Amino acid sequence: MNQPAVSPTLDTLFQRTLARQPHAPALLDPINKMRVTGHIPRRLTYAEADRAIETLSAHFVESGLPANSVIAIQLPNTIEFVLTVLAAHRAGLVVAVLPLLWRHAELAAALNRTAARAIVTMSKVDGVIYSDLAMHAAAEAFSIRHVFGFGSELPEGMASLDDVLARPPGTTRSVIQDGRKAAIISFDVTAEGFRPVPRPHFSLIAGGLAISLEADIPQGATVMAAFTPMSFAGLAASLAVWLLSGGTLALHHPFDNEVLEQQVNEQGCEVLIAPAQLMLRLGADLAARMPGLRNVVGLWRAPEQVAASDAWTSPHAPLTDVYLFGEAGLFGVRRGEDGVPVPVMPGLRGAVREQSGSSIAGEILLTPRNTLGLRGPMVPIAAYAPPQPADDTLMAQPARDYVDTGFAARIDRPSGAICITAPPSGIMAVGGYRFLSNDLQEWARRLGQGALLTALPDRLSGHRLAGRAHDNARAREALSELGLNPLMVEAFRDRTGPA
């Protein structure tokens, strides 16, 4: 009797390359890792990475984490992040990714909403003591049973994963490798509020394919990922693209322009994946500064800005624009020889560029609300299902087969292209951090009469926060004590300079 076919997982892709070239370079740390985390930068082959993954996976199993339970991760863009994600999947766990900008309030909410059984963090990142943040958040999540950390000077009660990696692998368990199983949980903000978004392996792989095939990333390439990985787009553009290419993944913890250029040249990177606005600023003399680059992928957190962006001026390394829509999904469009953005046509998008008969990577549509909708294998439709209307009918509403991203859009009549005109109403974005505009008013009210917290438009990050209070220093202290994001805290920094 034939066994039913199963789709690959991320670990399946890793194992395929491991079997083919075990001694090829797999992972390269940021060259400034000592400054970021206090660790010496490392380089791992596929065989060395596999041993580390096996060791961590066995430790998670021996710690008593049940299969299919959730392990939360808050780590920088370093080798430890990649190893932990793959080790968790090998142990049959589901990974919840927690952005580094999150502090106590958001961490506790995410851990409780996902019923996470463990959390993994780094002792210190860019001077911030994340081990203490994890311990305090875990204390408010009743489901947490284990707190793991990389680095030195970990607080009492936090198990050191560096010590685990120094030991031989222990006992692991057999896990069915099926891409339909849950792989990650990321977090989004919609008009309905904070929303966990679970995804299976095949959805994450589909996101990586949409990027790598549109950008024509060659097999065996050395890929530099300079985009925070704590989101669906970050995971698809780094982990999934690397595993699909079977090459080398070089990691850069965002963001230092000089270090980035040095790292691209020293590590022989052929592909650079980074925020698009930054790439456009570097594009003028990219050939002189990073001559080895052959491919650039720019990720747009504010996709409504793509059409009005500057032309790409480095023909030796073509640019692919990747439109990001929160955690709902993404699509990529490679620029033409003139370097200007290519119009986006609604309808089905093939997995292979300019090949109408290829398998479907996704579909772009205009919803009845004149917003942009997405559907396809990477889009988690169930996670974004609208709430059942509160009425007297007992009849279930018809299921929606697409996700409404909330981005305002229209059809350009002369060309038939879809034009994205504005971000979702009521939702602010500062880089990768999304929040409801009502939250700003709520936090300002907590600071007392006369306090103001607002979001101002910003060309690079979408919005930037600005605050005003009778005493800015005391406002910063109060917001820090509430466990709020540092972007909100620093909105009340003193802006008065010397006369």
Side-chain angles (χ1 to χ4, degrees), residues 375-423:
R375 59 182 156 213
M378 81 179 74
V379 182
I381 293 173
Y384 287 88
Q388 188 76 9
D391 53 25
D392 295 332
T393 179
L394 298 179
M395 298 294 292
Q397 296 297 308
R400 180 184 288 177
D401 66 347
Y402 65 89
V403 168
D404 186 343
T405 67
F407 282 80
R410 62 178 178 82
I411 299 294
D412 180 65
R413 290 186 178 179
S415 65
I418 195 163
C419 303
I420 305 168
T421 57

Side-chain angles (χ1 to χ4, degrees), residues 103-104 443 446-447 469-494:
R103 294 298 186 262
H104 181 83
W443 296 121
R446 294 195 180 196
L447 296 175
H470 294 308
D471 188 334
N472 280 346
R474 291 190 63 183
R476 289 197 301 271
E477 291 178 7
L479 292 174
S480 296
E481 290 174 359
L482 288 170
L484 289 191
N485 187 289
L487 292 173
M488 291 190 178
V489 177
E490 288 305 307
F492 289 90
R493 65 187 182 276
D494 292 321

Side-chain angles (χ1 to χ4, degrees), residues 321-408:
D321 295 310
V322 177
Y323 297 65
L324 309 182
F325 301 93
E327 299 301 303
L330 55 83
F331 59 81
V333 183
R334 191 170 185 176
R335 297 198 179 192
E337 294 181 358
D338 57 3
V340 300
V342 174
V344 177
M345 306 304 294
L348 298 174
R349 299 187 63 80
V352 181
R353 297 182 68 243
E354 302 175 358
Q355 185 173 327
S356 58
S358 66
S359 59
I360 301 305
E363 183 178 357
I364 304 167
L365 55 99
L366 189 68
T367 74
R369 297 176 55 237
N370 288 321
T371 54
L372 185 129
L374 296 175
R375 59 182 156 213
M378 81 179 74
V379 182
I381 293 173
Y384 287 88
Q388 188 76 9
D391 53 25
D392 295 332
T393 179
L394 298 179
M395 298 294 292
Q397 296 297 308
R400 180 184 288 177
D401 66 347
Y402 65 89
V403 168
D404 186 343
T405 67
F407 282 80

Side-chain angles (χ1 to χ4, degrees), residues 216-239:
D216 198 18
I217 294 176
Q219 286 293 296
T222 298
V223 178
M224 164 69 72
F227 194 87
T228 177
M230 296 300 182
S231 64
F232 163 65
L235 286 163
S238 57
L239 194 62

Side-chain angles (χ1 to χ4, degrees), residues 28-34 39-43 79 267:
L28 308 177
D29 255 331
I31 59 176
N32 63 340
K33 186 179 181 181
M34 178 61 73
H39 285 72
I40 297 173
R42 291 194 293 168
R43 303 168 63 95
I79 281 178
Q267 297 178 341

